[in-house]
Amino acid sequence: MKAAVAPAPPATWPARLRYGLMRRQPVLLSLAMLGLSLPLWQARVRPPLAAWLMDLAVHWQWPYLMLGTLAVSLWLALAPHDERRHMWPLPLLFAALAALTMGVAVLPRLPAMPADGGPAAEAASIKVVSFNVQIDNASHAAILDWVDAARPDVLALLEVTPAMAPLVDALATRFPQALSRPRDDPFGLAVFSRHPWQDARVETPEGGTPAFWARLQAPGGDIGLHVIHPMPPVSAADRATRDALFARLAAVPQDGLPRVLMGDFNATPWSAGLRRLGEGGWARANGLRPTFALGRSLPIDHILATPAHWRRGDTGLGPWLGSDHRPVWARLHRVSTPPANPQ
């Protein structure tokens, strides 16, 4: 019996290119579909090391979507007609998986705040901005110009260092309320408000990072304001500390006080840890557009609020202002008559 002989690669370079791309297309599509499926089962992974590795991988949903789209496009463009005729369910399966991830694992568990559908008092609105300025950012003038144009009611800056004192001092002349805790590491912060506040404080739990809280006396009534910047999940321990903070904050909305939570969460809405906030009663006031420069594909800066008390107005991202993050902003309208028993 003669041994089977593998077919020789095509001779011409266009044929070789097509041959190589077609051989790699299944690998690309398999990786994309595996990545897209992570939010569906990541929360079920229990061993700490495996859970950490899954958390590192789950955040790249936009690149997985682009990779899968590229693989399907290559197949549609290069596959022989007979093969396309038999494999037509492939792009449908990919699209169904992407829709399943968003429709089952992400959007219902960390929902977007309603933009309408309830009584909202626009006169009692508040515009909030969160901006990780980056620890070595020297573009102070550009930041001040943008803040002057944006005119937020509340501004939170993260990664504030002692070298940013001129920026902090200049902002303090624009806002009646200011509290700054600069640090030489990436976890300094400064918060500014046009509305009076009470009990403004920065607390640093053991093993955690500084977090701001204050009770604002805003139009329409008091507001609980939280600003956070947990550790990035660079280790299993840091991921656990970050997710423990999310678990504590998930219980906060149950007291009935209208609240806003914002900052650099170092987590995307695809991650199980961040989705726990949605299960606890928070909703997203901003969208899913990337805010971080690493691949320009990670939405890790967020504004959340209690949907029983707010309706979402305009939202958006600021420009790149010398930082590896973009500012994220939202205008929130107070619900004029919140439900008696907010969930």
Side-chain angles (χ1 to χ4, degrees):
M1 178 181 295
K2 294 183 178 180
V5 178
T12 63
W13 74 263
R16 287 198 302 270
L17 177 63
R18 177 174 178 172
Y19 177 77
L21 290 174
M22 285 302 298
R23 289 189 62 187
R24 288 163 178 77
Q25 182 270 345
V27 176
L28 296 179
L29 187 59
S30 298
L31 289 174
M33 294 182 73
L34 176 62
L36 284 173
S37 72
L38 285 173
L40 298 172
W41 51 272
Q42 177 212 358
R44 296 182 175 87
V45 178
R46 298 304 179 191
L49 179 59
W52 170 55
L53 293 174
M54 292 302 99
D55 186 83
L56 291 178
V58 77
H59 301 293
W60 304 90
Q61 293 299 300
W62 293 134
Y64 294 144
L65 184 62
M66 290 187 287
L67 181 65
T69 302
L70 173 64
V72 170
S73 300
L74 286 173
W75 175 77
L76 290 173
L78 302 177
H81 175 73
D82 289 345
E83 183 177 332
R84 289 202 302 269
R85 185 176 60 185
H86 294 296
M87 297 294 290
W88 62 265
L90 191 63
L92 296 181
L93 180 62
F94 173 71
L97 179 59
L100 183 66
T101 296
M102 293 297 294
V104 173
V106 177
L107 297 182
R109 298 188 183 183
L110 188 60
M113 183 177 303
D116 51 31
E122 295 194 13
S125 68
I126 185 171
K127 183 177 182 179
V128 298
V129 171
S130 175
F131 181 28
N132 183 328
V133 294
Q134 193 177 15
I135 191 170
D136 56 355
N137 192 344
S139 301
H140 299 176
I143 295 172
L144 289 172
D145 289 343
W146 184 80
V147 170
D148 288 341
R151 292 195 54 79
D153 298 294
V154 177
L155 170 67
L157 301 182
L158 305 167
E159 296 199 15
V160 174
T161 66
M164 296 179 186
L167 172 64
V168 172
D169 291 344
L171 288 169
T173 66
R174 291 161 164 81
F175 293 86
Q177 305 292 329
L179 189 152
S180 175
R181 294 291 184 272
R183 291 170 50 136
D184 290 317
D185 60 23
F187 299 103
L189 55 80
V191 183
F192 308 87
S193 173
R194 300 190 191 279
H195 304 299
W197 61 31
Q198 296 177 333
D199 197 23
R201 61 184 185 270
V202 175
E203 297 179 338
T204 306
E206 184 176 356
T209 56
F212 172 91
W213 187 88
R215 192 180 187 104
L216 268 65
Q217 298 171 334
D222 287 359
I223 299 168
L225 174 66
H226 305 257
V227 178
I228 63 171
H229 185 198
M231 280 288 293
V234 293
S235 70
D238 289 333
R239 181 204 66 84
T241 300
R242 183 204 64 187
D243 288 359
L245 171 63
F246 294 159
R248 291 194 300 272
L249 289 167
V252 165
Q254 307 305 321
D255 65 1
L257 179 69
R259 292 178 183 267
V260 176
L261 167 63
M262 61 184 183
D264 174 359
F265 288 53
N266 275 312
T268 65
W270 336 122
S271 70
L274 186 56
R275 295 202 307 268
R276 189 174 303 161
L277 289 170
E279 296 163 2
W282 296 94
R284 289 182 293 107
N286 59 307
L288 299 174
R289 293 171 60 192
T291 63
F292 185 45
L294 182 60
R296 300 207 172 181
S297 60
L298 298 178
I300 62 174
D301 301 270
H302 306 288
I303 298 171
L304 309 183
T306 47
H309 307 99
W310 300 100
R311 292 294 178 265
R312 173 171 45 89
D314 295 335
T315 68
L317 302 178
W320 300 100
L321 296 169
S323 172
D324 54 357
H325 292 249
R326 295 176 68 180
V328 57
W329 62 269
R331 180 169 293 281
L332 304 174
H333 303 299
R334 286 286 290 267
V335 173
S336 55
T337 307
N341 295 302
Q343 298 298 315

